[in-house]
Amino acid sequence: MELCSSACNISHRAKYFVLLVLSLSVVAWIIIFPGDTVTSLISFNSTHTPVKEDGLGDKLHSTTEEDFKEDGLGDKLHSTTEASNLTTPPQKVDCPKVSPLLQGLRNLSFDSSLTLNDVVTENENVRAGEYEPPDCAARQSVAILIPFRNRERHLVYLLHHLHPFLQRQQLHYAIYVIHQAGNATFNRAKLLNIGYLEALKDYNWDCFIFHDVDLVPEDDRNLYVCAETPKHMAGGRNTTGYKMSYPRYFGGVTALTRKQFVQVNGFSNSYWGWGCEDDDLYVRFQLQKVTIVRPPIAIARYSMVFHTRDKGNEKNKDRFKLLKKTQEVWMKDGLNSCSYKTLSMDRLPLYVNITVDIGKP
Ligand code: UDH
Ligand code: MN
């Protein structure tokens, strides 16, 4: 009896001791890892997408934040991140409706000694062809798509003028050059479809500008943004006395939203060689009863770098025949039937170069 009571006493004491140690551990855990710190660590890991090598990291970062907002978690996570004083950049205010950097009409010069490297040096604020205004949130994110083959000199001139031009407009933009590999007949429209499909893999662009390599805009009031309806930007050019070539002209440079472009199934892929692929796109919009807008001809001014007809881009003899069939085929000939093989994708300093095998007629 005596023995049992002292043994039991010891075992009771041991139980209390274990309980005490456990309680103290819980208190210590709470002191070391308070709830909001845990949350803020989680939020840091979740909202800070590592900057990708493709130069699109910042954009991906903001997309991730938006995603959180949509599920109702965004604000909470955001505010805890701020409270913990981590490195979330402050929210930018919207850029002004009219950029204070615009210069209006300029007389352009084309210096034949200018090199691509010179243009790289002029534009150190451009990363992999992409730029965002540093001090304000751009009103639109714009992908510039350039169909290309054997026009290196024209590309140097265009990049030299276009990068500062777009920056004066305070846009978030990236330039994509879609390069047709091989010597088969050129197909401008198909390259532009490909540019659209590939650029969308990078970012959900608001606006797509389909841009000939040899047309350089002269007036930065000709804004490279999309409108409620498709916009034809290159109404006037030096070679036509700054007048429209014909009233329904829809070539050279056009600006379309994703919705507008998808509504007509993009360009036809069937126009091999020169001519009428732009008229075909115009007809596609007409069939949908969608009207076209144009900036005033006084500002829609372009300098076309002189060139002759390219080898491999001869006039397409079938172009008018094809144009008669638009109504019949537009639903099955376009973005939904654009087959190609991407041979390389190079994120160069001033543009993304996408070399593609598009087949032949
Ligand atoms: N393009 C190329 N490489 C080519 C062909 C066309 O990059 O070999 C691209 C380039 O972006 C060009 C666009 O496709 O700006 C349109 O082609 P284009 O410039 O040949 O068309 P445009 O209507 O000229 O300007 C047609 C021939 C002009 C002959 C002039 C003779 N008076
Ligand atoms: Mn041309």
Side-chain angles (χ1 to χ4, degrees):
M1 194 70 185
E2 205 36 70
L3 201 79
C4 165
S5 93
S6 69
C8 294
N9 235 341
I10 290 167
S11 116
H12 275 307
R13 274 188 201 157
K15 273 188 205 157
Y16 286 132
F17 182 72
V18 169
L19 248 168
L20 188 71
V21 169
L22 272 174
S23 324
L24 284 173
S25 311
V26 170
V27 171
W29 176 261
I30 290 169
I31 290 169
I32 294 167
F33 299 114
D36 63 340
T37 311
V38 174
T39 316
S40 74
L41 285 172
I42 293 168
S43 84
F44 178 77
N45 286 333
S46 318
T47 55
H48 285 246
T49 309
V51 173
K52 283 184 111 191
E53 277 172 21
D54 61 10
L56 299 168
D58 290 344
K59 214 162 31 205
L60 291 171
H61 167 83
S62 62
T63 311
T64 316
E65 275 189 352
E66 282 310 310
D67 292 346
F68 275 114
K69 274 180 193 148
E70 270 162 32
D71 65 15
L73 290 169
D75 291 342
K76 189 158 175 264
L77 292 173
H78 198 124
S79 60
T80 46
T81 310
E82 269 171 11
S84 65
N85 223 3
L86 292 173
T87 53
T88 304
Q91 284 272 316
K92 285 183 194 165
V93 291
D94 282 350
C95 295
K97 282 209 171 101
V98 179
S99 165
L101 309 175
L102 297 184
Q103 296 175 348
L105 184 64
R106 291 184 60 193
N107 205 353
L108 305 180
S109 63
F110 300 92
D111 176 356
S112 60
S113 66
L114 188 74
T115 66
L116 187 62
N117 270 341
D118 295 335
V119 186
V120 171
T121 312
E122 291 163 2
N123 290 282
E124 272 165 358
N125 46 3
V126 176
R127 279 174 62 210
E130 185 185 6
Y131 171 88
E132 249 182 306
D135 304 321
C136 58
R139 290 179 171 269
Q140 283 191 22
S141 294
V142 184
I144 315 286
L145 310 177
I146 303 170
F148 183 87
R149 186 168 71 185
N150 287 337
R151 297 280 196 100
E152 281 71 19
R153 183 103 302 264
H154 292 184
L155 187 59
V156 170
Y157 290 146
L158 182 63
L159 294 168
H160 167 68
H161 288 292
L162 198 56
H163 274 295
F165 175 97
L166 296 168
Q167 290 168 24
R168 294 200 299 275
Q169 296 189 355
Q170 297 186 308
L171 296 172
H172 168 217
Y173 69 86
I175 297 183
Y176 294 86
V177 170
I178 309 93
H179 170 216
Q180 180 173 338
N183 298 319
T185 311
F186 197 71
N187 188 330
R188 175 180 180 269
K190 188 167 182 182
L191 292 172
L192 291 173
N193 276 344
I194 295 168
Y196 169 87
L197 294 168
E198 291 295 320
L200 268 182
K201 292 180 186 168
D202 275 348
Y203 187 75
N204 192 13
W205 301 102
D206 300 312
C207 180
F208 297 84
I209 311 247
F210 302 93
H211 207 300
D212 277 6
V213 73
D214 51 33
L215 290 175
V216 186
E218 296 178 1
D219 193 320
D220 56 18
R221 292 169 298 180
N222 186 6
L223 298 181
Y224 274 39
V225 292
C226 281
E228 290 294 312
T229 59
K231 181 156 79 165
H232 180 232
M233 329 237 337
R237 62 174 77 170
N238 54 350
T239 49
T240 59
Y242 296 104
K243 290 199 185 89
M244 287 268 289
S245 316
Y246 51 97
R248 292 146 60 103
Y249 179 51
F250 197 50
V253 185
T254 47
L256 304 175
T257 63
R258 184 174 179 170
K259 200 170 157 206
Q260 290 158 5
F261 199 52
V262 166
Q263 188 184 0
V264 294
N265 196 18
F267 279 100
S268 162
N269 301 301
S270 309
Y271 288 79
W272 298 88
W274 183 90
C276 286
E277 80 294 344
D278 45 0
D279 304 304
D280 184 283
L281 188 65
Y282 184 89
V283 171
R284 286 173 183 235
F285 283 117
Q286 258 195 332
L287 291 168
Q288 299 296 309
K289 307 211 179 325
V290 173
T291 52
I292 305 297
V293 289
R294 290 194 176 86
I297 195 77
I299 63 168
R301 290 168 70 93
Y302 284 78
S303 291
M304 183 165 124
V305 187
F306 175 79
H307 67 88
T308 53
R309 198 174 294 284
D310 299 274
K311 209 163 167 280
N313 195 30
E314 288 75 24
K315 274 186 190 167
N316 174 5
K317 288 194 197 74
D318 295 332
R319 62 190 189 281
F320 296 116
K321 249 188 254 167
L322 284 166
L323 199 53
K324 280 196 188 128
K325 291 241 159 100
T326 308
Q327 179 157 21
E328 235 174 89
V329 304
W330 73 269
M331 258 196 260
K332 47 185 195 291
D333 173 15
L335 281 176
N336 64 359
S337 64
C338 181
S339 62
Y340 61 97
K341 198 168 159 221
T342 303
L343 300 180
S344 67
M345 159 97 83
D346 302 305
R347 296 188 186 271
L348 305 175
L350 296 179
Y351 60 95
V352 181
N353 186 83
I354 307 172
T355 300
V356 282
D357 176 356
I358 63 168
K360 48 184 197 264

